[in-house]
């Protein structure tokens, strides 16, 4: 059982949706889908002044969709806004792109993400992380 904030942050198997603040939604149930398309960017790069060599720099374009809820009957994916029309309510959608590389033997990821609510995109959020994806 999850009993505290630290337990939730480090023992929950789902990672936050990119493009949203952490804990944008919470509840006793959650669903998360990550779709990521990876493609080669640079096969080999050697820098000038400092002799650093980067290999297999890949790019990524992604779409994250998810939600968290407690009451299944009250969950609503979309709602109507008088100014913008239909927007997302409980359904969270984030999209963006990033780069993956290995630096000094450590897998490094850099992502730029935006939340999307059908009416438009948010300001970008930036993510830097170490570690393998799977």
């Amino acid at each position: 059982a999850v009993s505290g904030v630290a337990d939730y942050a480090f023992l929950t198997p789902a990672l936050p949706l990119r493009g949203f603040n952490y804990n944008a939604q919470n509840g006793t149930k959650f669903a998360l889908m990550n779709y990521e398309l990876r493609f080669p960017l640079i096969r080999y790069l050697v820098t000038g002044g400092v002799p650093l060599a980067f290999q297999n720099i890949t790019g990524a374009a992604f779409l994250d969709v998810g939600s968290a809820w407690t009451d299944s009957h009250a969950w609503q994916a979309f709602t109507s806004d008088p100014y913008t029309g239909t927007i997302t309510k409980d359904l969270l959608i984030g999209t963006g792109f990033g780069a993956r590389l290995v630096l000094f033997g450590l897998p490094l990821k850099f992502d730029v993400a935006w939340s999307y609510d059908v009416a438009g995109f948010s300001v970008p959020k930036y993510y830097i992380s170490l570690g393998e994806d799977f």
Side-chain angles (χ1 to χ4, degrees):
V2 177
S3 60
V5 174
D7 290 339
Y8 177 79
F10 298 109
L11 296 178
T12 303
L15 298 175
L17 256 80
R18 291 168 285 191
F20 289 90
N21 289 333
Y22 189 73
N23 201 28
Q25 284 184 345
N26 56 44
T28 57
K29 302 172 194 87
F30 68 88
L32 177 63
M33 187 270 317
N34 302 106
Y35 178 76
E36 192 164 297
L37 174 66
R38 296 185 190 165
F39 48 90
L41 281 179
I42 300 171
R43 184 101 164 127
Y44 197 74
L45 175 69
V46 178
T47 60
V50 179
L52 290 177
F54 301 103
Q55 290 181 324
N56 297 328
I57 300 173
T58 59
F62 59 85
L63 173 69
D64 296 345
V65 179
S67 187
W69 66 95
T70 298
D71 182 6
S72 297
H73 299 292
W75 190 88
Q76 186 179 2
F78 300 96
T79 189
S80 181
D81 181 278
Y83 302 107
T84 59
T86 301
I87 59 170
T88 59
K89 182 178 177 190
D90 293 327
L91 184 67
L92 303 180
I93 303 170
T95 187
F97 58 89
R100 313 286 186 257
L101 64 102
V102 176
L103 180 64
F104 303 118
L106 299 171
L108 179 66
K109 298 180 283 188
F110 174 75
D111 290 328
V112 179
W114 294 265
S115 63
Y116 177 70
D117 67 356
V118 180
F121 292 92
S122 69
V123 297
K125 292 193 180 295
Y126 301 94
Y127 300 89
I128 298 173
S129 57
L130 289 172
E132 293 293 332
D133 290 321
F134 304 103

